[in-house]
Amino acid sequence: MKNLHEYLKISPAVQKALDEGRPVLALESTIISHGMPYPQNLETARLCEAEARKHGVEPATVAIIHGKLCAGLTDEELEYLAKAGPKVAKASRRDLPILAARGADGATTVAATMIVAAMAGIRVFATGGIGGVHRGAEVTMDISADLEELARTPVAVVCAGAKSILDLGLTLEYLETKGVPVLGYRTETLPAFYTDESDFKVDYRMDSPEEIAAAVTAQRDMGYPGGMLITNPIPHQYAMPKDVIDAAINQALAEAKEQGVKGKATTPFLLARVCELTGGESLKSNIKLVLNNVALGAQIAAAMH
């Protein structure tokens, strides 16, 4: 891509790993600026990077800093994003060229992280949960850009399913229409972020990182344009009871409607409200499931090398 080097900045550590053919795992930054409060967000970001390294994989946390699309951040940059919090733009596909042109900062969503990872040559990405089809989307058309990105960008995404604030059935239907395989790691059931239970099935169960790596490699070798969704249930001891989380989500959704919360403000509002309604238990679950996803993502990235 012409002039891409003007916009893309790969950290020396990530570049070295790529040059040497070592595994690299992309991590997103919306979870730092918009997904958790300070200082838990900074602690979690550092823990995620340490978890990847524990498996012999170089972490590449993705963000936009002063207009540069960064694959790999310094500890100072992580701290900067964590402290700035929601003041940093939440950046999806549509926002990247504007932030780059303005020399602005952005915390990348799943979609934007996939784009930057693909530009840098990184094939696996671990996150908390993906966006999806929002409840009532048949009227509002509120569908996350994450799903469209999974259909077009060749990066495998490891997550704990879609957040149960969404319409999980419609999210699966959308992914099926777009030809995105949805895999379950050691499960046939689609996990629902805070809980390992849902009423929906994944397309295929996979029982080892090597089996997943083989499927991702086959998809790449066939020249498919899109990615693959790997759903990894939250460890059962950290999962929240389905009735508790459903009650909190339903209350948060009602409040969002009442207050007219829409668009990209919806998910941060709902996550913060669910955290309050569960007495902080959902935040603890969130941190555990992200680390669990990073561990699996690192194992898959390592198995692909």
Side-chain angles (χ1 to χ4, degrees), residues 153-265:
T153 300
V155 174
V157 179
V158 181
C159 69
K163 299 175 183 82
S164 42
I165 55 178
L166 303 164
D167 187 317
L168 299 183
L170 288 184
T171 298
L172 284 175
E173 289 289 352
Y174 195 96
L175 288 168
E176 183 195 6
T177 300
K178 295 291 183 179
V180 178
V182 179
L183 312 183
Y185 181 56
R186 297 179 177 169
T187 182
E188 277 125 40
T189 301
L190 179 75
F193 198 67
Y194 296 118
T195 173
D196 51 3
E197 304 169 58
S198 82
D199 300 325
F200 302 94
K201 299 281 182 210
V202 294
D203 299 328
Y204 295 96
R205 175 185 172 130
M206 299 273 176
D207 287 313
S208 72
E210 290 74 20
E211 196 181 356
I212 297 168
V216 175
T217 300
Q219 189 189 40
R220 293 283 64 75
D221 289 350
M222 290 175 188
Y224 269 46
M228 193 173 281
L229 190 65
I230 299 132
T231 63
N232 184 30
I234 181 172
H236 192 70
Q237 66 268 38
Y238 303 120
M240 297 192 65
K242 191 172 183 295
D243 54 344
V244 171
I245 201 69
D246 285 352
I249 284 166
N250 289 333
Q251 187 177 331
L253 284 163
E255 290 176 15
K257 192 175 178 187
E258 224 171 76
Q259 295 174 35
V261 179
K262 288 185 179 139
K264 63 161 85 173

Side-chain angles (χ1 to χ4, degrees), residues 3-10 68-71 116 119-120:
N3 300 331
L4 183 60
H5 65 276
E6 285 180 29
Y7 302 104
L8 180 64
K9 181 182 166 194
I10 301 175
K68 292 284 187 188
L69 310 182
C70 298
V116 178
M119 284 178 180

Side-chain angles (χ1 to χ4, degrees), residues 103-127:
D105 300 323
T108 52
T109 61
V110 168
T113 305
M114 287 179 75
I115 291 166
V116 178
M119 284 178 180
I122 300 165
R123 297 185 293 169
V124 185
F125 158 41
T127 183

Side-chain angles (χ1 to χ4, degrees), residues 124-164:
V124 185
F125 158 41
T127 183
I130 59 158
V133 179
H134 279 264
R135 298 184 194 192
E138 62 275 16
V139 177
T140 64
M141 291 297 287
D142 191 350
I143 299 169
S144 171
D146 295 353
L147 300 187
E148 200 64 36
E149 212 56 55
L150 277 158
R152 73 204 295 181
T153 300
V155 174
V157 179
V158 181
C159 69
K163 299 175 183 82
S164 42

